[in-house]
Amino acid sequence: MDDVSKTPNRYRTGVEVRRAVLGDPHVDRAEVAATDFDQPFQDLITEAAWGTVWARPGFSKRERSIVTLALLAALGHDEEVALHVRATANTGATREDICEAFLHVAIYAGVPAANRAFKIAKEVFSEMDGDKAAHG
């Protein structure tokens, strides 16, 4: 998408929501890493995912976070699972919420998918707890 094709309010909202959920450092890295090749994709996810779906009033950020984690785990999107586990620090989803979501994944999408998601979450929690201890 070029600047002309963006819906200004949705794109602006998308940037705000994306930063609120994923954090400024992640979004800054994504913006710096974008090239002419993948800039249209960055624009699409900012406007569609963050400015449209994540900005809707029907679910809280916590609820969206839980649903997103379950879907990503069920689909085996490991890097995105890790990213969204980190994002729970900003969405209010608790470790108990994540556990419950992954238990649902085990029943409805399969034990191997849930097992992998639990492993990823434990690694991320360890990193996050280490960061807290280092900056605590």
Coordinates of all heavy atoms in Angstrom, one line a residue, residues 14-30 42 45-46 49-50 54 61 65 68-69 72 79-91:
G14 N -4.0 2.0 14.0 CA -3.3 0.8 14.0 C -1.9 1.0 14.6 O -1.4 0.1 15.3
V15 N -1.2 2.1 14.2 CA 0.1 2.4 14.8 C 0.0 2.5 16.3 O 0.8 1.9 17.1 CB 0.7 3.6 14.2 CG1 2.0 4.1 14.9 CG2 1.0 3.4 12.7
E16 N -1.0 3.2 16.8 CA -1.2 3.4 18.2 C -1.4 2.1 19.0 O -0.8 1.8 20.0 CB -2.3 4.4 18.5 CG -2.0 5.8 18.1 CD -3.2 6.7 18.1 OE1 -4.3 6.3 18.6 OE2 -3.1 7.8 17.6
V17 N -2.3 1.3 18.4 CA -2.7 0.0 19.0 C -1.5 -1.0 19.0 O -1.2 -1.7 20.0 CB -4.0 -0.6 18.4 CG1 -4.2 -2.0 18.9 CG2 -5.2 0.3 18.7
R18 N -0.9 -1.0 17.8 CA 0.3 -1.9 17.7 C 1.4 -1.6 18.7 O 2.0 -2.5 19.3 CB 0.8 -1.8 16.2 CG 1.9 -2.8 15.9 CD 2.3 -2.7 14.4 NE 3.2 -3.7 14.0 CZ 3.9 -3.7 12.9 NH1 3.7 -2.7 12.0 NH2 4.7 -4.7 12.6
R19 N 1.7 -0.3 18.9 CA 2.7 0.1 19.8 C 2.2 -0.2 21.3 O 3.0 -0.6 22.1 CB 3.0 1.6 19.7 CG 3.8 1.9 18.4 CD 4.2 3.4 18.3 NE 5.0 3.6 17.2 CZ 6.3 3.3 17.1 NH1 6.9 2.8 18.2 NH2 7.0 3.6 16.1
A20 N 0.9 0.0 21.5 CA 0.4 -0.3 22.9 C 0.5 -1.8 23.2 O 0.8 -2.1 24.4 CB -1.0 0.2 23.0
V21 N 0.3 -2.6 22.3 CA 0.3 -4.1 22.5 C 1.7 -4.7 22.4 O 2.2 -5.4 23.3 CB -0.6 -4.8 21.5 CG1 -0.5 -6.3 21.6 CG2 -2.1 -4.4 21.8
L22 N 2.4 -4.3 21.4 CA 3.7 -5.0 21.1 C 4.9 -4.2 21.7 O 6.0 -4.7 21.9 CB 4.0 -5.2 19.6 CG 3.0 -6.1 18.9 CD1 3.3 -6.2 17.5 CD2 2.9 -7.5 19.6
G23 N 4.7 -2.9 22.0 CA 5.7 -2.1 22.5 C 6.5 -1.3 21.5 O 6.6 -1.8 20.3
D24 N 6.9 -0.1 21.8 CA 7.7 0.7 20.9 C 8.9 0.1 20.3 O 9.1 0.2 19.1 CB 8.0 2.1 21.6 CG 6.8 3.0 21.8 OD1 5.8 2.9 21.0 OD2 6.9 3.8 22.7
P25 N 9.7 -0.6 21.1 CA 10.9 -1.2 20.6 C 10.6 -2.2 19.4 O 11.3 -2.2 18.4 CB 11.6 -1.9 21.8 CG 11.1 -1.2 23.0 CD 9.7 -0.8 22.6
H26 N 9.6 -3.1 19.6 CA 9.3 -4.0 18.5 C 8.8 -3.3 17.3 O 9.3 -3.6 16.2 CB 8.2 -5.0 19.0 CG 7.7 -5.9 17.8 ND1 8.4 -7.0 17.4 CD2 6.7 -5.7 17.0 CE1 7.8 -7.5 16.4 NE2 6.8 -6.8 16.1
V27 N 7.9 -2.3 17.4 CA 7.4 -1.6 16.3 C 8.5 -0.8 15.6 O 8.6 -0.8 14.4 CB 6.2 -0.7 16.6 CG1 5.7 0.1 15.4 CG2 5.1 -1.6 17.2
D28 N 9.4 -0.2 16.4 CA 10.5 0.6 15.8 C 11.4 -0.4 15.0 O 11.8 0.0 13.9 CB 11.3 1.2 16.9 CG 10.6 2.4 17.6 OD1 9.6 2.9 17.0 OD2 11.0 2.8 18.7
R29 N 11.7 -1.6 15.5 CA 12.5 -2.5 14.8 C 11.9 -2.9 13.5 O 12.5 -3.0 12.4 CB 12.8 -3.8 15.6 CG 13.9 -3.6 16.7 CD 14.3 -4.9 17.3 NE 13.2 -5.7 17.9 CZ 12.8 -5.5 19.1 NH1 13.3 -4.6 19.9 NH2 11.8 -6.2 19.6
A30 N 10.6 -3.2 13.5 CA 9.8 -3.6 12.3 C 9.9 -2.5 11.3 O 10.0 -2.7 10.1 CB 8.4 -3.9 12.7
Q42 N 3.7 -4.5 5.8 CA 3.7 -3.8 7.1 C 2.5 -2.8 7.2 O 1.9 -2.7 8.2 CB 5.0 -3.0 7.3 CG 6.2 -3.9 7.6 CD 6.1 -4.7 8.8 OE1 5.7 -4.2 9.9 NE2 6.5 -6.0 8.8
I45 N -0.8 -5.0 7.7 CA -1.0 -5.5 9.1 C -1.3 -4.3 10.1 O -2.1 -4.5 11.0 CB 0.1 -6.5 9.6 CG1 1.4 -5.8 9.7 CG2 0.1 -7.7 8.8 CD1 2.5 -6.7 10.3
T46 N -0.6 -3.2 9.8 CA -0.9 -2.1 10.7 C -2.3 -1.6 10.6 O -3.0 -1.4 11.6 CB 0.1 -0.9 10.4 OG1 1.4 -1.4 10.6 CG2 -0.2 0.3 11.3
A49 N -4.9 -5.5 10.8 CA -4.9 -6.2 12.1 C -5.0 -5.3 13.2 O -5.9 -5.5 14.1 CB -3.6 -7.0 12.2
W50 N -4.2 -4.3 13.3 CA -4.1 -3.4 14.4 C -5.1 -2.3 14.4 O -5.7 -1.9 15.4 CB -2.7 -2.9 14.6 CG -1.7 -4.0 14.8 CD1 -0.8 -4.4 13.9 CD2 -1.6 -4.8 16.0 NE1 -0.1 -5.5 14.4 CE2 -0.6 -5.7 15.7 CE3 -2.2 -4.8 17.2 CZ2 -0.2 -6.7 16.6 CZ3 -1.8 -5.8 18.1 CH2 -0.8 -6.7 17.8
W54 N -7.9 -5.3 16.1 CA -7.4 -5.1 17.5 C -8.1 -3.8 18.1 O -8.2 -3.7 19.3 CB -5.9 -5.0 17.6 CG -5.3 -6.4 17.8 CD1 -5.0 -7.3 16.8 CD2 -4.9 -7.0 19.0 NE1 -4.4 -8.4 17.3 CE2 -4.3 -8.2 18.7 CE3 -4.9 -6.6 20.3 CZ2 -3.8 -9.1 19.7 CZ3 -4.4 -7.4 21.3 CH2 -3.9 -8.7 21.0
K61 N -8.2 -5.7 25.2 CA -6.9 -6.2 24.7 C -6.5 -7.5 25.4 O -5.9 -8.4 24.7 CB -5.8 -5.1 25.0 CG -5.9 -3.9 24.0 CD -4.8 -3.0 24.2 CE -4.8 -1.8 23.2 NZ -6.0 -1.0 23.3
S65 N -5.8 -10.8 23.3 CA -4.5 -11.5 23.5 C -4.6 -13.0 23.7 O -3.9 -13.8 23.1 CB -3.8 -10.8 24.7 OG -2.5 -11.2 24.8
T68 N -5.8 -14.6 20.4 CA -4.7 -14.6 19.5 C -3.7 -15.7 19.8 O -3.2 -16.4 18.9 CB -4.0 -13.2 19.5 OG1 -5.0 -12.2 19.1 CG2 -2.8 -13.2 18.5
L69 N -3.3 -15.8 21.1 CA -2.4 -16.8 21.5 C -2.9 -18.2 21.2 O -2.1 -19.1 20.7 CB -2.0 -16.7 23.0 CG -1.0 -15.6 23.3 CD1 -1.0 -15.3 24.8 CD2 0.4 -16.0 22.9
L72 N -2.7 -18.7 17.3 CA -1.3 -18.9 16.9 C -0.7 -20.2 17.3 O 0.0 -20.9 16.5 CB -0.4 -17.7 17.4 CG -0.8 -16.3 16.8 CD1 0.0 -15.3 17.6 CD2 -0.5 -16.3 15.3
E79 N 7.1 -18.2 16.2 CA 7.6 -16.9 16.5 C 6.5 -15.9 16.9 O 6.8 -15.0 17.8 CB 8.3 -16.3 15.2 CG 9.6 -17.0 14.9 CD 10.3 -16.4 13.7 OE1 9.9 -15.3 13.2 OE2 11.2 -17.1 13.1
E80 N 5.4 -16.0 16.3 CA 4.3 -15.2 16.7 C 3.8 -15.5 18.1 O 3.3 -14.6 18.9 CB 3.1 -15.2 15.7 CG 3.5 -14.7 14.3 CD 3.6 -13.2 14.3 OE1 2.7 -12.5 14.9 OE2 4.5 -12.6 13.7
V81 N 3.8 -16.8 18.5 CA 3.4 -17.2 19.8 C 4.3 -16.4 20.8 O 3.9 -15.8 21.8 CB 3.5 -18.7 20.1 CG1 3.3 -19.0 21.6 CG2 2.4 -19.4 19.3
A82 N 5.6 -16.5 20.6 CA 6.6 -15.9 21.5 C 6.4 -14.4 21.5 O 6.4 -13.8 22.6 CB 8.0 -16.2 21.0
L83 N 6.1 -13.7 20.4 CA 5.9 -12.3 20.3 C 4.7 -11.9 21.2 O 4.7 -11.0 22.0 CB 5.7 -11.9 18.9 CG 5.2 -10.4 18.6 CD1 6.3 -9.4 19.0 CD2 4.8 -10.2 17.2
H84 N 3.6 -12.7 21.0 CA 2.4 -12.4 21.7 C 2.4 -12.8 23.2 O 1.7 -12.2 24.0 CB 1.2 -12.9 21.0 CG 0.8 -12.1 19.8 ND1 0.0 -11.0 19.9 CD2 1.2 -12.1 18.5 CE1 -0.2 -10.4 18.7 NE2 0.6 -11.1 17.9
V85 N 3.2 -13.7 23.6 CA 3.4 -14.0 25.0 C 4.1 -12.8 25.6 O 3.7 -12.3 26.7 CB 4.2 -15.3 25.2 CG1 4.7 -15.4 26.7 CG2 3.4 -16.5 24.9
R86 N 5.1 -12.3 24.9 CA 5.8 -11.0 25.4 C 4.8 -9.9 25.5 O 4.8 -9.1 26.5 CB 6.9 -10.6 24.5 CG 8.2 -11.5 24.7 CD 9.3 -11.0 23.8 NE 10.3 -12.0 23.6 CZ 10.3 -12.9 22.6 NH1 9.4 -12.7 21.6 NH2 11.2 -13.8 22.5
A87 N 3.9 -9.8 24.6 CA 2.9 -8.7 24.5 C 1.9 -8.7 25.7 O 1.3 -7.7 26.0 CB 2.2 -8.7 23.2
T88 N 1.8 -9.9 26.3 CA 0.8 -9.9 27.5 C 1.2 -9.0 28.6 O 0.4 -8.6 29.4 CB 0.7 -11.4 28.0 OG1 1.9 -11.9 28.5 CG2 0.1 -12.3 27.0
A89 N 2.5 -8.6 28.6 CA 2.9 -7.6 29.6 C 2.2 -6.3 29.4 O 2.0 -5.5 30.3 CB 4.4 -7.4 29.5
N90 N 1.7 -6.1 28.2 CA 1.0 -4.8 27.8 C -0.5 -5.0 27.7 O -1.2 -4.0 27.7 CB 1.5 -4.3 26.5 CG 3.0 -4.0 26.6 OD1 3.5 -3.5 27.6 ND2 3.7 -4.3 25.5
T91 N -1.0 -6.3 27.6 CA -2.4 -6.5 27.4 C -3.2 -6.9 28.6 O -4.4 -6.8 28.6 CB -2.6 -7.6 26.3 OG1 -2.2 -8.8 26.9 CG2 -2.0 -7.3 25.0

